[in-house]
Amino acid sequence: MTKNPSYDHTIIPPCQAECPLHMDIREYVDLIAQGRVMEALQIIREGNPFPSICAYVCTHPCEDACRRGQVDNPIAIRALKKFAVKFGGDKMIRLEAETTHDEKVAIVGSGPAGLAAAYYLRKLGYPVSIFEAHSELGGMLRVGIPEYRLPREVLDIEVQRLIQMGAEIRTNSPVTSLNLLFDMKYKAIFVTVGAHQGLRLGIEGEESAGVVDGATFLREVNLGLKPPVGNRVGIVGGGNVAIDAARTSLRLGSREVKILYRRSREEMPADPNEIEQAIEEGVEILFLMAPIKIQSVNGQLDITCIRMEQEEPDASGRRRPAPVPGSEFHITLDDLITAIGQAPQVPKDFRLRIGRGSTIRVDPLTLTTNQKGIFAGGDAVTGPASVIQALATGKLAASRIDDYLRHRYPAISKEKRASMGDLLPRTIEMIRKFNRYEPPIRPSQERVKEFMPVELVYDWEGAVNEAKRCLHCGIGAEILSRDNCAACLTCLRICPYLAPFLDDRGEIQIAEDQCIACGICVTECPANAIAFRKPQEQRRVDEELEHVIESAAKSKSKPLIIGFCCQYGLYGTGALAGLWRETKAGIWIVPVLCIAKVESRHIVNAFKAGAEGVFIAGCDQQQCPRENTAFWTLQRMERSKKMLAQIGIEPERVQAFNLHASDKNLAEALDRFTQKIGELCLVSAFKKEMKK
Amino acid sequence: MAKSLFEEKLNSGKFIVTTEVGPQKGTDTSEMVHQINLLKDKVDAINITDHQSSVMRFPSLGGCLLVAELCGEPILQMTTRDRNRLALQADLLFAYSRGIKNVLCLTGDSIEVGDHKEAKSVFDLDSVQLIRMIRTMESGKDIAGGCLKGNVEFCIGATAHPSADFIEPQLIKFDKKVESGAQFIQTQGIFDLDALSRFMQYAHQFNVKILAGIILLASDRMATYMNNNVPGITVPPNIIEELACVEKDKGLKKGIEIAVRLIKTIKEENLCHGVHIMAVGREKLVPEILEEAGIMT
Amino acid sequence: MIVAEQKSMEEIYRICSPYEKILILGCGTCVTVCDAGGEKEVSIIHSVLDAAQARTGDKPHIFSEYTVKRQCDIEFLEALKDKAGEIDAILSLGCGIGVQSLAEVFPDIPILPGVNTAFMGASREWGVWDERCVACGDCRLVDTGGICPITRCAKGILNGPCAGAKGGKCEANKEMDCAWVLIYQHLVHLGHLERMRQYYPPRNFHTILRPRRLIIKTEINPGGK
């Protein structure tokens, strides 16, 4: 009855499925929960070309999909990434790329899509040149997003790394004709010029001085042009650009900033956090209101507004706003910023087919345009979208260009979809509730004075505790060996979350979408028929124990005490970190990912390897994010103690720490334990002598 | 003609008094002889217990022979715990042949409560089946259908538990015992006379004589111990309290007082047909109790 | 389901000690279900035996482990024939039936029982098993409301309760319910109390003449005569 160790039945979790880059979020969050932040960063870098940028500005569709949201609140994935980027030492990472191909690729536009395409093309070994009309790279990252959301230093570091990788940068180089690039021996071109043209309101007086569109306003601010803003500024629109413009105006010194939005707060497309922060800073949002006329009067703007009301939802479920007749009123402003959307502005000479909303038409799977060798992507194709989507497009473009240049039929990768259902109410009821822990933000009075980042980075404890909330979707338990399964129903009876069930044919199944990988059934299954979907989870304790035994054997330290210690939370990084340094005193730590995974066999094997004492230290039942872990661990421990006593090993040699939250001072309790072990050693040595 | 002297007394309508003697562990019967001599003329019959509380002792059959030899009227207590149907029949044949003609049919306490906990318990029959078996033997056949040489006739008794906390299943079993041929019932210890009255209301419909079990308590500690360890005995809290109220060495006196009170009431109020006194090792006090209760045979 | 209990490690180690190469053999059916002798228990016992040996410094035993689907059926034991040459004894964690099947298939190898076969029963919750059937060969559950007095009454009596129960608990084991109280209550619930009022004659132990053999096949005469 052996199992094939090479299986991997991991299910794509919703966070990963929803991430346009399909990053292995579950893995890096878990690493952060263990305090292994550098490894977490490594995973992040494998999936994302510019993690530090995403750490600040990602719209995190992963969090919207996160199933923890069904229990309390989603995991703060973006903030955790920011923590990993900062504490993992992302700044110090240098990248290199080798040129292995001759075909040069030109990238027109240096927004996130362009930069990502350059990054991945360099990794594929192509010479790459980036053409940027402005003086600095970044596109919307540079000219659109305000500095308090994305410090320029962060962007500069990523750009610098791209240069290290060998990308050629041509700033102040607006491209007017793509043919010219082909003439310059570029074999493929990726057009990613963004969507910078503000849409017009289409109302009377829009040309008045003091009326500006949001994209232009932000660009001017971001390029350091310091556009003058008055005390009273109005912004029209409800998206992120509107919020950015409002908060930027505050920072430039405006006293009264009003956002006019024609729908209600629920429909507002801007990030709810951003809206919240804007309100905190003093931005006033007037909902269900729209300007209908602008008049310039003595250097001031007289805006005629009208109240709106929401119609009944139409077929698409969207409620259209409609003006309330006779509800007009006036407000007086110094400036009005229109932020109701942007469109691409693609030079005619590019001769690309243009579709709805002035966007470039491409085949969405291959990003090919109507012209051979020309690919397009980013906001120029989709209209204004998120940074993470742009990065994903850039990555796709790189591989499609590679296919094209290598004369391969494009390998259409299947979309990674989550096959996980929602958590059932009874599962939700059993999952311990831990509220989302938000990273600290600077006080609003302080932050409106300057463009410093609003959100700060988690401290170590905050990040680890937040990461511990992850439900480990898709790596839970499965019945791996039907042949072994004795249908004993142990799993069904002991699962705190009621994930195992009997199907119509009376066979036991484990509902993969209800399992949160606590591991109790895996450890308790008397037939060894249940395994984690991710095999490493399974082998880890055995391997770590073996490793410790080997190292201890080399060091010949006596007496040998082996401790199975939970690596999650502060245990991994805090309290036990001290113990690691104690190895000289004979204490060796076997790190485990939750003590629920320690089996009786492991405890006994420690003694078999010559240990004089064994302890288990884990989070107490209040801190452990999973149910019943201490109960089962103690069950197994008592079982082992009983069996060990029968072969003459004193039960006092096995002890648990902190599982019941009683050992407030772990170090002290451990001292007492080691002292006890020392005494027991003496006694048994004495007995041996007597026997002789 | 009556099967035994005891049966005759049962049918005479007088207030019946029986008591019991527990054999010793070992062959020295002097104490038992002393007790039998003391009691034989004061009561209508003497039960000899059968490894009471599953503690191994001199056999009930041997005790009964002593009673007969000493010219008393013995009641053979016979449990199904230790003997299968062959042994039980054989013992009954022997008993009858030696003039022992009263038998109290019992299932017997569990092996678990006794001193030979590792023994195999037999329970080939239960008490109801034992009664039927005796009635079958009286018809001249053993229960496998084989013919018996010579007569067998017994006056058969059984037990009942009027103060059981689940009384209904006990009553069903009581019905079966009577239907199977039990002529008299010696109940488990009675302290609550209301429970006895309720039981009698039910039992009066049957042609069976009911002797209320009276246990002599020596202290509240003994009562508590019995509650926890002796099957079928429940001493109610008010009795324990009554015992606890007296001075330390006056417990037994109080116990006698309680027993006397119970017997007197039963007799005066004509609650049932008689009493069965269980003195639990203090058999020598039985005459005193009887005297105080105003009973002379 | 047959329920068994592991012997103490002291006893297991003692019965193993005369042999050098010992196969610890689990059984994947009943004893797996009752946590006494499945694959997991095999590995735990293996570890404990190794630990015991490491501590005592006895002459080396070599333990190996294996688990078959069912020890009671000899076909499942065929897989062990290859190993038979390399082992001096088999520590069987199967029930008594498994031990005997092994002894039959491997007449040259001592079979050491590692568990005490306890009873036939059911699990009421994780880690708790209750006896439910003594295989009397003469089932009367129809009359007792589906509650077996032969198994669940300490005295196995058939005509109603003894006088020993207190608070509905058995005189022999105060943890356990008096079967006859349960039977009474259930028959009342079913409206079949008349079944308890019937007289039940003594049991027919002839039906369980030991050792029993059950034959359902019919002798067929191929000649047809």
Side-chain angles (χ1 to χ4, degrees), chain A residues 486-535:
Chain A
C488 66
L489 307 187
T490 298
C491 50
L492 182 111
R493 289 182 178 136
I494 68 179
C495 174
Y497 310 101
L498 311 174
F501 64 98
L502 288 173
D503 67 13
D504 298 343
R505 292 181 305 154
E507 259 193 62
I508 188 92
Q509 308 285 355
I510 297 175
E512 70 270 8
D513 41 17
Q514 308 304 317
C515 175
I516 65 166
C518 72
I520 292 173
C521 65
V522 177
T523 318
E524 287 300 322
C525 174
N528 283 346
I530 305 179
F532 286 106
R533 291 176 173 274
K534 191 173 154 197

Side-chain angles (χ1 to χ4, degrees), chain C residues 53-204:
Chain C
Q53 176 171 286
R55 277 189 93 75
T56 56
D58 284 355
K59 71 167 182 189
H61 301 286
I62 300 157
F63 297 104
S64 54
E65 54 182 89
Y66 197 69
T67 300
V68 294
K69 187 90 187 167
R70 277 208 304 279
Q71 290 186 9
C72 52
D73 284 309
I74 58 176
E75 288 87 342
F76 286 115
L77 305 178
E78 289 294 320
L80 294 171
K81 289 221 158 134
D82 302 341
K83 302 175 191 287
E86 306 155 19
I87 48 181
D88 301 328
I90 295 174
L91 174 67
S92 164
L93 300 188
C95 68
I97 310 167
V99 172
Q100 294 183 57
S101 293
L102 282 164
E104 205 172 314
V105 175
F106 302 105
D108 303 328
I109 301 176
I111 314 296
L112 318 171
V115 305
N116 293 320
T117 309
F119 52 78
M120 282 183 279
S123 172
R124 44 188 294 130
E125 61 182 277
W126 179 86
V128 181
W129 288 271
D130 280 344
E131 185 173 18
R132 284 290 178 265
C133 179
V134 292
C136 72
D138 184 18
C139 189
R140 296 181 181 196
L141 284 167
V142 64
D143 289 325
T144 54
I147 294 158
C148 177
I150 297 173
T151 313
R152 295 167 71 176
C153 163
K155 299 170 185 175
I157 53 179
L158 294 172
N159 279 298
C162 71
K166 284 179 186 167
K169 298 293 176 185
C170 175
E171 71 172 45
N173 182 351
K174 295 185 176 74
E175 302 286 300
M176 303 304 263
D177 293 327
C178 169
W180 278 106
V181 170
L182 294 182
I183 291 169
Y184 170 79
Q185 287 169 338
H186 199 59
L187 286 176
V188 168
H189 179 71
L190 292 175
H192 281 310
L193 203 54
E194 78 284 356
R195 297 195 167 160
M196 188 165 160
R197 296 189 196 280
Q198 294 174 65
Y199 168 72
Y200 290 97
R203 280 169 64 194
N204 175 3

Side-chain angles (χ1 to χ4, degrees), chain A residues 116-128:
Chain A
Y119 174 92
Y120 285 107
L121 284 165
R122 280 305 298 143
K123 287 191 111 185
L124 288 164
Y126 292 97
V128 175

Side-chain angles (χ1 to χ4, degrees), chain A residues 449-496:
Chain A
K449 292 178 192 149
E450 52 192 12
F451 281 84
M452 293 288 282
V454 169
E455 186 196 78
L456 303 174
V457 186
Y458 278 126
D459 60 8
W460 206 273
E461 184 180 346
V464 163
N465 281 336
E466 177 60 20
K468 262 169 72 176
R469 296 173 62 237
C470 176
L471 296 177
H472 301 101
C473 304
I475 50 171
E478 66 171 333
I479 295 169
L480 190 62
S481 168
R482 284 274 160 209
D483 193 42
N484 271 24
C485 175
C488 66
L489 307 187
T490 298
C491 50
L492 182 111
R493 289 182 178 136
I494 68 179
C495 174

